[in-house]
Amino acid sequence: MKPEDEAAFFGHDLATPITNLMGAHYLLKSALKGSNPDAQEALEILEANTRTLERMLGWYWRVRDLEGSLEAAAPWPAESLFPRLKERVEGEGLPLKAPKACSCPARLQIPPGPLETGLIGAAITLRSASGREVFWDFECVEGVLFSRFVVEGEEQLLDPGRLFRKVYWPSRNRFSAWLDPSFPYLLAAIAPFGGSLELVWEEGRWTLTAALPLPP
């Protein structure tokens, strides 16, 4: 499939029936207002799955687009990443605490927009998949900026295989902004620049580590 045809497929061909499903849900909700609990439950299922479908397709397309178009940005101060993340987390009212910053007098070449979206999305995904609070901080060591996300819990709490496969993890929280991708988006944003992503369980906690290389 040609890139322009694929863009039209996701941007129009799939977007149209999804929009129609949302419209049908709105009409049914109005018509069935105050009806029996079974009808209300069916409406909730329809709404939740329509939204999940929209997010899954939307993030699949965004990952594909990122993989084929990402180029290095002009070097920018790594320390500017921390206030930018704080502003987005708090400005969007996300169910997260802003990450703890660190001293990092170096520069990044990973494009800031995709990097911020990927990091925030990873935190949201961990919270959605675990149902637990996510502790997020940074550490700058020998030419690498590490972004770490920690979730307390048993080994069975998370499934790394599914988290690295799914482009979107359904959440009870709903965000108007597109800031909730799963791990494939973050990996697509950092891998071209030598970055990596690892999720491990040890001593009662899960730790997701994104390694962000700092060019000389």
Side-chain angles (χ1 to χ4, degrees):
M1 182 179 287
K2 296 179 181 178
E4 58 269 26
D5 293 338
E6 189 175 39
F9 175 69
F10 282 94
H12 181 268
D13 297 350
L14 288 174
T16 298
I18 290 174
T19 300
N20 290 338
L21 281 171
M22 292 178 176
H25 170 266
Y26 177 80
L27 293 174
L28 284 170
K29 188 175 181 179
S30 299
L32 297 174
K33 187 175 181 179
S35 61
N36 66 69
D38 288 343
Q40 295 303 314
E41 182 180 0
L43 285 172
E44 291 174 5
I45 293 172
L46 175 61
E47 181 180 25
N49 282 275
T50 300
R51 178 177 175 79
T52 296
L53 181 62
E54 178 197 27
R55 280 323 221 206
M56 286 172 57
L57 292 171
W59 282 121
Y60 177 82
W61 166 245
R62 285 163 172 78
V63 171
R64 285 289 302 272
D65 187 51
L66 202 64
E67 290 174 335
S69 64
L70 203 60
E71 296 182 357
W76 53 280
E79 288 186 345
S80 71
L81 176 64
F82 312 134
R84 292 167 65 131
L85 289 170
K86 184 176 187 294
E87 181 180 359
R88 295 191 78 177
V89 167
E90 295 178 352
E92 296 292 341
L94 302 178
L96 302 170
K97 290 182 179 179
K100 292 182 179 179
C102 71
S103 175
C104 191
R107 293 179 176 269
L108 286 162
Q109 285 188 292
I110 303 170
L115 177 59
E116 292 167 23
T117 298
L119 290 172
I120 291 172
I124 290 174
T125 295
L126 280 175
R127 182 177 174 86
S128 298
S130 68
R132 310 271 177 92
E133 184 176 1
V134 177
F135 301 92
W136 182 8
D137 63 12
F138 285 86
E139 183 182 14
C140 190
V141 181
E142 298 180 353
V144 181
L145 177 62
F146 292 100
S147 177
R148 292 195 178 94
F149 310 83
V150 176
V151 174
E152 303 285 347
E154 63 278 4
E155 189 172 5
Q156 293 73 30
L157 181 66
L158 298 175
D159 183 341
R162 294 180 69 199
L163 285 165
F164 276 94
R165 177 177 62 81
K166 286 180 173 287
V167 294
Y168 168 72
W169 196 280
S171 170
R172 292 183 179 180
N173 299 103
R174 299 186 179 183
F175 316 106
S176 56
W178 284 80
L179 288 172
D180 53 357
S182 189
F183 298 171
Y185 184 94
L186 176 56
L187 194 55
I190 65 177
F193 308 97
S196 63
L197 193 62
E198 182 182 39
L199 178 64
V200 298
W201 182 84
E202 187 177 12
E203 297 182 354
R205 63 175 56 185
W206 282 96
T207 303
L208 176 70
T209 303
L212 315 176
L214 302 166

